Amino acid sequence: MRATTRSWIAALLAGTVACGAAVFFLASCAPNVPDEEPALRFGALLWDGLSRTYAVYAPASPETPAPVVFLLHGGLGSAESVWESENGRSWKTLADEHGVLLVLPEGRPDPTHTDRHHWNDCRSDIDNEDAISAEDDVGYINALINRLATETAVDPARIYVTGASNGGMMTFRLAMQLGDRFAAAGAVIANLPDPSECPFQAAPLPILIMNGTADPVIPYDGGCVAGAACRRGRVRSTDDTVAFWVGVNDAQVSAEETTLPDRVAADGSTVTVFTHRGGSTGKNVILYRIDSGGHAIPGPESATASLRAASRKNRDIDAAEEIWRFFEQHARPSE
């Protein structure tokens, strides 16, 4: 953990002495800190008997009331690992440009590596101590939305959620079970679980899916997650996942197909976008098919050596920019 992050946590914990249970950087009880650029700041929320960690980033000039984007880490991840990734840097740039409040919650700490975390994403056949979770993550995220609403000026009509891998599968669960709180959702390198502990029921919600056809972890055509042993469960295919949301949104089965420019030929990957118009609901389902793409979030930076060895990364698009462009088009109707 970086020293700057440790100092923020120490300051926040000190602030709780004077401020009671509220630990949130925008509250009036926020600790005194030097006048500096906005930073990622951490808080805690007691939910279902477990202290849950989350982080928040607010730009220097947030829109008022501010749109909110929840960024969900993947399995083994954390708020800080998301923030320090290329995807996190892209979202910070977008937040600064558009006045967006970013919220980075953490799943349950893994039993064997407490600095790593997993979400309870409805997979029912996991045989892995770290990946198994029975936590009420839906209730936790709902409570966190409520806290935001009481402690700062957020726009309840413009709350969005996106995540990758385990975080993308959790995005699907939130879209199904907490869809009335979100205006749109975006899941990256993720499919629906098969079998699932959760019923496949949802209200219409605009949704974007971004998957690689050569993903070795979340197979595009469905099957075992992260290896043939299936210790981390199974998923439906991307086609089946898209078809589920097309049915929920009463969208057109036939899609408008667009091939995006191959800006970086060296990455060996291209992007084709399939748009299923929302029909009676007006809520689209959009698939970004990352042809020959692996278990990597698309972005302009070169892949790390370890990622290149295991999975191909598309560099023609920036996933965060594409998802934010989609989110900007959607707001929940005024109640």
Side-chain angles (χ1 to χ4, degrees):
M1 183 181 293
R2 297 176 300 171
T4 54
T5 302
R6 291 196 195 98
S7 65
W8 276 115
I9 295 175
L12 283 163
L13 291 175
T16 62
V17 175
C19 303
V23 185
F24 188 68
F25 83 97
L26 289 178
S28 60
C29 61
N32 293 325
V33 295
D35 185 15
E36 57 184 26
E37 289 296 314
L40 188 68
R41 307 189 189 186
F42 284 76
L45 175 67
L46 183 64
W47 180 256
D48 202 26
L50 183 67
S51 179
R52 305 295 294 266
T53 300
Y54 64 93
V56 178
Y57 176 80
S61 301
E63 187 177 337
T64 304
V68 179
V69 174
F70 277 77
L71 304 180
L72 305 186
H73 61 74
L76 309 178
S78 65
E80 190 166 14
S81 69
V82 171
W83 193 242
E84 293 181 341
S85 70
E86 177 192 12
N87 194 51
R89 292 190 292 275
S90 291
W91 276 108
K92 178 185 181 299
T93 298
L94 290 166
D96 289 338
E97 181 178 351
H98 299 281
V100 179
L101 189 72
L102 301 178
V103 184
L104 292 78
E106 290 185 341
R108 180 221 59 185
D110 292 353
T112 61
H113 298 87
T114 55
D115 59 336
R116 302 173 178 176
H117 307 79
H118 274 86
W119 297 104
N120 180 3
D121 61 19
C122 294
R123 278 175 285 172
S124 62
D125 58 347
I126 297 176
D127 182 24
N128 180 282
E129 180 182 2
D130 283 335
I132 292 173
S133 175
E135 298 299 334
D136 179 17
D137 289 330
V138 174
Y140 162 52
I141 297 298
N142 190 52
L144 193 48
I145 293 173
N146 291 338
R147 170 171 284 189
L148 289 169
T150 60
E151 295 185 340
T152 189
V154 301
D155 186 347
R158 293 184 297 160
I159 301 177
Y160 311 95
V161 59
T162 183
S165 194
N166 176 218
M169 294 181 69
M170 187 63 203
T171 295
F172 285 136
R173 181 172 189 178
L174 291 170
M176 287 189 285
Q177 299 185 346
L178 203 62
D180 61 337
R181 305 303 300 270
F182 298 107
V188 184
I189 48 178
N191 282 324
L192 290 170
D194 181 31
S196 174
E197 292 180 343
C198 311
F200 284 154
Q201 300 173 350
L205 184 74
I207 194 157
L208 181 152
I209 299 167
M210 187 178 291
N211 285 349
T213 62
D215 190 331
V217 179
I218 303 291
Y220 190 90
D221 292 327
C224 297
V225 173
C230 280
R231 293 195 63 207
R232 291 180 180 268
R234 297 172 175 83
V235 291
R236 290 187 175 191
S237 70
T238 297
D239 288 347
D240 286 346
T241 298
V242 170
F244 168 78
W245 289 105
V246 166
V248 167
N249 286 2
D250 191 28
Q252 297 177 6
V253 174
S254 60
E256 300 170 13
E257 182 176 339
T258 304
T259 300
L260 300 187
D262 186 12
R263 293 191 171 92
V264 184
D267 65 11
S269 174
T270 57
V271 181
T272 306
V273 181
F274 300 85
T275 301
H276 298 264
R277 297 293 175 187
S280 63
T281 68
K283 301 181 189 303
N284 295 345
V285 178
I286 298 180
L287 169 65
Y288 280 64
R289 188 183 70 194
I290 314 300
D291 298 298
S292 298
H295 197 70
I297 301 173
E301 295 181 10
S302 297
T304 62
S306 60
L307 183 59
R308 285 195 300 272
S311 198
R312 180 170 287 161
K313 176 187 174 183
N314 179 272
R315 297 170 58 198
D316 298 325
I317 61 173
D318 187 321
E321 290 183 357
E322 300 296 323
I323 292 169
W324 173 248
R325 188 178 300 118
F326 174 70
F327 284 172
E328 275 192 305
Q329 300 171 20
H330 302 287
R332 292 189 59 80
S334 300
E335 297 181 359

